[in-house]
Amino acid sequence: MSKVELLKLTVDKVASGTVSSITGIVPLLESRGIVENMHVGQPKEFFSTDEEIAEWYLGQYISIINQESWFAMNSLINQSGAWVESKLNSM
């Protein structure tokens, strides 16, 4: 599974889940090498591939879940969901 596909899975699970099911996504992401706030602070030029962009989004999911910032989660779902759909539709 690519990181873009993992992001799609994450968006779908988080958008339709409960707090307890959402927290269960963190171990899955970590098992795939994603860490909290992954790539935060990198310059725009760093993000040259869809995989790096997806990793950034996934790292933000871990951060928001760990901090229980549910309002921020809605914004992230909307932004990352639109991005991942555009990428998957162009494949």
Side-chain angles (χ1 to χ4, degrees):
M1 174 181 297
S2 74
K3 296 290 173 43
V4 174
E5 293 166 327
L6 182 59
L7 178 58
K8 172 66 172 148
L9 174 72
T10 301
V11 170
D12 291 346
K13 283 187 175 281
V14 170
S16 64
T18 63
V19 172
S20 60
S21 67
I22 290 170
T23 56
I25 198 79
V26 172
L28 171 64
L29 297 179
E30 291 174 339
S31 75
R32 302 294 174 97
I34 305 299
V35 297
E36 186 171 350
N37 291 316
M38 191 161 193
H39 306 319
V40 168
Q42 293 293 338
K44 185 176 182 177
E45 300 77 32
F46 173 83
F47 299 97
S48 60
T49 68
D50 290 343
E51 293 289 297
E52 291 159 343
I53 295 168
E55 288 172 348
W56 182 86
Y57 278 122
L58 291 165
Q60 297 314 295
Y61 274 101
I62 292 175
S63 178
I64 289 172
I65 291 167
N66 286 344
Q67 295 176 28
E68 298 183 354
S69 299
W70 307 126
F71 181 74
M73 182 68 78
N74 290 331
S75 297
L76 185 61
I77 290 169
N78 292 336
Q79 183 182 18
S80 63
W83 181 85
V84 77
E85 287 296 331
S86 73
K87 294 301 169 184
L88 292 175
N89 288 335
S90 67
M91 294 177 112

